[in-house]
Amino acid sequence: MATLKEVAKKAGVSITTVSRVINGSSKVNGETRERVQKAMIQLDYQPNRVAQRLRASSGQSKLLGLIIPDIQNQFYSNIVRGIEDVTYGHDYAVILCNSDENPNKERFYLEVLKSESVDGIILPPIHQFGEEIESIIELGIPIVCVDRKLMRKKVDTVVIGNEKGGYDAVSHLIEQGHKKIAILTSSLQFSSFDERQKGYERALKENGIEIDKRLIKEGDPRSSETARELTDELLSLDSPPSAIFATNNLMTLGVLESVNKHGMQIPDDISIVGFDDLPWAKAISPPLTTIKQPAYEMGQKAAELFFQRVENPSREPEVVIMEPKLIVRESTAKLVNAQVKDTE
Amino acid sequence: MATLKEVAKKAGVSITTVSRVINGSSKVNGETRERVQKAMIQLDYQPNRVAQRLRASSGQSKLLGLIIPDIQNQFYSNIVRGIEDVTYGHDYAVILCNSDENPNKERFYLEVLKSESVDGIILPPIHQFGEEIESIIELGIPIVCVDRKLMRKKVDTVVIGNEKGGYDAVSHLIEQGHKKIAILTSSLQFSSFDERQKGYERALKENGIEIDKRLIKEGDPRSSETARELTDELLSLDSPPSAIFATNNLMTLGVLESVNKHGMQIPDDISIVGFDDLPWAKAISPPLTTIKQPAYEMGQKAAELFFQRVENPSREPEVVIMEPKLIVRESTAKLVNAQVKDTE
DNA sequence: GTGAAAGCGCTAACAG
DNA sequence: CTGTTAGCGCTTTCAC
């Protein structure tokens, strides 16, 4: 790999001049410039990003850190893709880290990213009061929260209206005539799930339906397995729910599995609303009603906020709230007659 | 962020000594060591990875590059996770790049990764004869191919037995009594899809079934949309297939969507075998028969090959072929009594 | 316009 | 055992 020095030698100039040509900074004689450019091409010169980064002040390292719970969760891979598509246009590279919702891993990767001199970090914080993250903000490294909020600090943030999402899902079910509506939510304290549950409760209250604790099941949102078990429990209740609201994509899968295993028909025997409108939702039979999160767009927006901060570090932090959207499909079809069959 | 210099000053030693303590290289006086360690803790010292990388010879930069077609494709996100879990234990950071099967993006990211001084690159090569990749191998940067092979160069590679996967899928369908079996495969030249199709053809031949070109549909494997359209075409054929083999997860979704839209019942009206056993496959109704690829394990293995090469650069390149596995579920259930409406 | 030189933070000879 | 010194490849004063 060619270096500045070699290019300089070949072009018969100093390395400073070559650097100037590359960065297009101060004026360089047209002829000299051409000679340098020719040498760069001949040697197939590519600047060494590591050296640039070591030398550069913050905000110029062209490296962005991402810490997500799990790239295998498609909701997050959609966010990551949205981010990456924006960084691509800015000539940034992206370091990817999986935290597994484990605060120790989060802390570990935060240290790694600091030590890698990233220009910023995008993440859904595991804790609403993450001290490590707060201290990084203090250090002046731009942080953008996505999917979840940080409570004590003002930070650039992209979330969806989770309360509204939960409210819309359950209101829709109520409209279809349901009264016994169960919810599968997270046993861990994430702002997103808390809010979805609040929306669930508000929809019930507003419609004069009493909240039945037996219909509220909490489990690990990373595991469709627990969701399946919890659904098994729900279905074997004395008076089981006629509808289930699953608050993320993995839990939705567990619900579907349990329902199918019990030989129940959707929506005839039970209605389902999922969260996250992933590609399989509309491909399955019957197609699934979901609350769609604009994950890809959330990623894009988060990356944009990051670049805005790089350009203007003193800008006021911004909180962007995106709209969740109810996508009605047949898994919550109203049972007007005995049977509503799915034909196009 | 504290530096070596500051630690040295605080501990009253030279930076070399501090460096020695960190790297545990040559012997340092016990007392001195303690003093240094205390200073490191007090200052919350973390070595600067960028500086280490600039200084380090190749194989020590603690950075690994990944270029995958699309992280939104869950097959690849599973691979990525397998890789990441192995690198985590080696204190490596991972740079993630999406190529979209676009050779220009691949080339671009290859340059970026070179310029980032990565210790190696793991990727499914877009072309079986990728010159850029070959030249990188020549440079001595370890490359590990995963999911797809490189033809002209000997490289560490992890693939599955794709031909066998295709063969098993189709043999299974034949066993269930099917004779008109369609395949949805890639219109682009990837070794993996080519081989799956070869397996399809061999299974037919060995069972004395003539290959019917009208039942072989080629489309973009990144798009469930085209798969849906191609399935529409298949289903409107004069004598439509009684079974469809979809050669990746996205195409499978397209098939399902089309079949459902046509109001056909699986497996009564048509049988389906998919590729990639993703979480939704067993959650849908009826559960989907698939060829399971051990994607996560492929990622792990690829990362292990990389680390083996870092340890021993002169080792012979190794090609690991993992087993695809037929997972039989109800989407290909034999229609015992009913009419196997398979054009006799 | 152009170049010499300092230095980002670190490791690795080479002395002592 | 420990310190001095020379860079890794680059950008950026500061002179000329």
Side-chain angles (χ1 to χ4, degrees), chain A residues 24-314:
Chain A
S25 53
S26 51
K27 292 139 225 309
V28 179
N29 185 325
E31 202 193 328
T32 321
R33 156 172 288 114
E34 273 183 28
R35 209 147 27 108
V36 170
Q37 282 170 335
K38 205 169 138 199
M40 296 202 314
I41 290 169
Q42 282 177 7
L43 293 172
D44 189 27
Y45 173 76
Q46 294 291 134
N48 181 321
R49 288 182 155 240
V50 181
Q52 287 182 319
R53 186 168 305 137
L54 181 61
R55 192 65 178 63
S57 50
S58 69
Q60 322 229 64
S61 84
K62 305 254 184 200
L63 191 59
L64 177 63
L66 255 49
I67 306 180
I68 55 166
D70 183 7
I71 193 69
Q72 290 183 290
N73 181 331
Q74 198 157 4
F75 171 63
Y76 292 114
S77 60
N78 290 345
I79 289 182
V80 168
R81 194 55 157 90
I83 293 171
E84 216 257 354
D85 280 355
V86 174
T87 56
Y88 176 65
H90 288 255
D91 195 30
Y92 266 62
V94 165
I95 291 187
L96 179 75
C97 314
N98 293 283
S99 71
D100 287 320
E101 310 289 11
N102 177 342
N104 291 327
K105 277 187 101 171
E106 182 179 81
R107 193 174 308 124
F108 169 80
Y109 276 126
L110 247 16
E111 288 299 332
V112 169
L113 293 179
K114 251 169 41 181
S115 155
E116 289 283 2
S117 305
V118 294
D119 280 339
I121 300 174
I122 300 182
L123 83 176
I126 296 179
H127 286 313
Q128 305 181 21
F129 310 96
E131 288 182 20
E132 283 80 16
I133 300 176
E134 292 177 356
S135 78
I136 286 193
I137 298 171
E138 229 109 77
L139 242 57
I141 300 177
I143 297 278
V144 180
C145 291
V146 65
D147 179 44
R148 301 180 195 150
K149 308 181 211 169
L150 214 49
M151 282 308 168
R152 289 187 299 221
K153 283 268 177 200
K154 275 185 122 181
V155 211
D156 287 311
T157 302
V158 181
V159 288
I160 64 156
N162 280 298
E163 202 270 352
K164 179 172 189 304
Y167 179 83
D168 288 351
V170 177
S171 298
H172 169 67
L173 288 170
I174 294 171
E175 272 171 31
Q176 307 302 303
H178 295 281
K179 289 197 156 50
K180 294 189 70 71
I181 302 170
I183 181 172
L184 255 65
T185 184
S186 170
S187 56
L188 308 162
Q189 291 305 300
F190 301 125
S191 61
S192 47
F193 288 92
D194 284 356
E195 290 172 11
R196 285 167 206 171
Q197 186 173 345
K198 288 219 178 69
Y200 162 87
E201 290 172 1
R202 179 162 68 92
L204 293 183
K205 271 184 210 151
E206 285 188 8
N207 287 277
I209 301 174
E210 211 159 308
I211 290 167
D212 182 346
K213 296 253 175 191
R214 288 166 305 182
L215 298 182
I216 299 179
K217 293 285 188 186
E218 299 186 352
D220 187 334
R222 291 168 300 171
S223 150
S224 59
E225 196 70 4
T226 41
R228 187 170 55 65
E229 287 163 12
L230 293 173
T231 308
D232 286 349
E233 288 176 21
L234 283 171
L235 297 181
S236 57
L237 242 38
D238 282 344
S239 66
S242 68
I244 300 181
F245 170 37
T247 54
N248 86 345
N249 61 67
L250 250 25
M251 297 187 120
T252 306
L253 287 177
V255 171
L256 289 176
E257 213 179 317
S258 169
V259 165
N260 291 335
K261 201 183 61 189
H262 280 76
M264 297 175 83
Q265 296 301 310
I266 305 171
D268 306 71
D269 300 325
I270 192 159
S271 288
I272 312 277
V273 178
F275 221 94
D276 297 339
D277 192 48
L278 300 184
W280 52 262
K282 74 165 192 280
I284 68 176
S285 171
L288 184 73
T289 294
T290 64
I291 301 293
K292 175 175 183 159
Q293 302 196 66
Y296 179 84
E297 290 78 7
M298 290 168 75
Q300 284 186 308
K301 189 68 204 173
E304 283 164 14
L305 285 181
F306 160 70
F307 285 113
Q308 283 172 26
R309 179 152 304 284
V310 168
E311 276 179 34
N312 176 10
S314 60

Side-chain angles (χ1 to χ4, degrees), chain B residues 14 16-17 20 27-29 32 55:
Chain B
S14 75
T16 315
T17 304
R20 287 198 182 100
K27 292 139 225 312
V28 178
N29 184 325
T32 321
R55 193 62 180 65

Side-chain angles (χ1 to χ4, degrees), chain B residues 301-319:
Chain B
K301 190 68 203 173
E304 284 164 12
L305 286 181
F306 161 70
F307 284 112
Q308 283 172 25
R309 178 151 305 284
V310 168
E311 275 178 34
N312 177 7
S314 59
R315 168 173 71 68
E316 264 300 288
E318 197 174 325
V319 176

Side-chain angles (χ1 to χ4, degrees), chain B residues 222-250:
Chain B
R222 293 167 300 171
S223 150
S224 60
E225 196 70 3
T226 40
R228 186 170 57 65
E229 289 163 12
L230 293 174
T231 309
D232 285 349
E233 290 176 20
L234 283 172
L235 297 181
S236 56
L237 241 38
D238 282 344
S239 66
S242 69
I244 300 180
F245 170 37
T247 54
N248 86 344
N249 62 65
L250 249 26

